[in-house]
Amino acid sequence: MRTIVEARQVKKLFGSKGSVSTALQEIDLTVLEGEFVGIMGPSGSGKSTLLHLIAAIDEPTAGSIHIDGSNLHTMNEEQISKFRRDKLGFLFQDYNLLDTLTVKENILLPLALAKVPVAELELRVEEITDKFGIKPLLAKYPYQLSGGQKQRTAASRAIIARPSLILADEPTGALDSKSATDLLESLKELNEQDQATLLMVTHDAFAASYCSRVLFIKDGTIFTELVKGQTPRKAFFRKILDVLSVLGGGAGDVI
């Protein structure tokens, strides 16, 4: 099975001489094609820093990170931009939709920038919006949508270019429980049916229970991991809560 993320001995320091803090130290991480991996940990543990390094938003102080066989941190800005556009999909808590574009135009933006033929654009948007149940909303603008509809629009945009890796940062953080469940069910279906590879940072044990594997970070290192395997989701949820209690917080306050 193809390796999508390979991080080896990753270290990240912040600050300057005399005032240096260690955000990550000696992180080893492998994500295979078709995995849905969650990252959890207390506030300040380094989980968001790790996601930023994998997205090439920041650079590691030491170590290496390869995404789909490529080392983003040896590329120039133009190469990184093209790689992100072609290989990575992003899903954030605050949606990042453009208010002046319709739902359809927001979803198609990555493909339009890549100059994909119009016929292909139409096929893909129909397929993706059907998966996320937002086909009737294509002509609407973001201000006309609920939070859940906005996030499903953002998710459609994240996957329409068929990226090698989808990076999600607290994707359910601003959603009510029904909207969060709808989004997670759609992501799970995308993972299981289309073999999409997802890496999600979350503080929410319920959201993490949809993952096939969950990594827990504490003080910049990987504390432990849980693999779902054949465990039912509700039982996996309880296991996640048990680890969070050891880390020093419950489902709602571990961020």
Side-chain angles (χ1 to χ4, degrees):
M1 192 174 290
R2 194 158 112 246
T3 298
I4 300 299
V5 179
E6 186 172 22
R8 291 291 173 262
Q9 294 294 291
V10 171
K11 185 175 185 178
K12 180 62 181 178
L13 304 178
F14 288 107
S16 55
K17 188 176 292 186
S19 180
V20 176
S21 62
T22 302
L24 295 172
Q25 51 186 331
E26 298 178 358
I27 292 284
D28 287 323
L29 169 65
T30 301
V31 177
L32 301 178
E33 185 176 26
E35 280 199 288
F36 187 174
V37 178
I39 301 177
M40 303 190 79
S43 179
S45 61
K47 60 188 185 299
S48 292
T49 298
L50 179 59
L51 193 74
H52 289 165
L53 295 180
I54 291 171
I57 294 170
D58 202 353
E59 295 187 9
T61 305
S64 64
I65 300 175
H66 288 77
I67 310 296
D68 205 8
S70 299
N71 187 344
L72 274 66
H73 303 287
T74 62
M75 297 180 183
N76 60 38
E77 283 299 318
E78 184 178 343
Q79 291 169 326
I80 288 174
S81 294
K82 184 177 186 306
F83 187 92
R84 284 202 197 102
R85 187 185 68 216
D86 295 344
K87 297 287 188 177
L88 301 179
F90 297 94
L91 187 55
F92 301 104
Q93 180 177 327
D94 57 1
Y95 320 127
N96 286 345
L97 300 177
L98 297 177
D99 292 333
T100 56
L101 300 183
T102 64
V103 166
K104 182 177 181 179
E105 290 165 343
N106 267 285
I107 292 169
L108 288 176
L109 190 58
L111 295 186
L113 293 173
K115 299 180 181 177
V116 173
V118 173
E120 176 72 6
L121 294 179
E122 294 296 334
L123 283 174
R124 288 209 208 173
V125 78
E126 185 167 334
E127 175 190 347
I128 295 301
T129 54
D130 192 46
K131 284 184 187 294
F132 283 94
I134 56 171
K135 194 178 290 186
L137 307 176
L138 289 176
K140 292 185 178 294
Y141 288 87
Y143 73 88
Q144 297 174 299
L145 307 181
S146 68
Q149 291 168 338
K150 287 179 183 178
Q151 194 59 297
R152 279 180 278 153
T153 299
S156 298
R157 181 186 57 194
I159 67 173
I160 196 163
R162 297 171 184 163
S164 300
L165 177 66
I166 299 165
L167 297 170
D169 191 0
E170 304 284 7
T172 62
L175 303 181
D176 60 59
S177 59
K178 184 186 183 304
S179 296
T181 300
D182 289 345
L183 176 68
L184 291 164
E185 289 287 353
S186 296
L187 292 177
K188 179 185 175 187
E189 181 181 333
L190 186 72
N191 170 248
E192 292 178 349
Q193 294 187 6
D194 297 358
Q195 288 296 290
T197 308
L198 297 102
L199 187 61
M200 176 176 71
V201 165
T202 182
H203 72 281
D204 184 0
F206 176 75
S209 69
Y210 280 83
C211 298
S212 53
R213 180 162 59 104
V214 181
L215 300 172
F216 298 86
I217 296 182
K218 181 180 181 181
D219 299 330
T221 62
I222 295 177
F223 176 73
T224 189
E225 75 169 12
L226 290 176
V227 178
K228 180 185 281 184
Q230 299 303 310
T231 306
R233 192 191 60 76
K234 288 184 178 178
F236 193 50
F237 170 70
R238 289 192 292 270
K239 288 185 176 182
I240 293 168
L241 289 179
D242 288 342
V243 175
L244 292 180
S245 68
V246 173
L247 282 174
D253 60 3
V254 174
I255 56 176

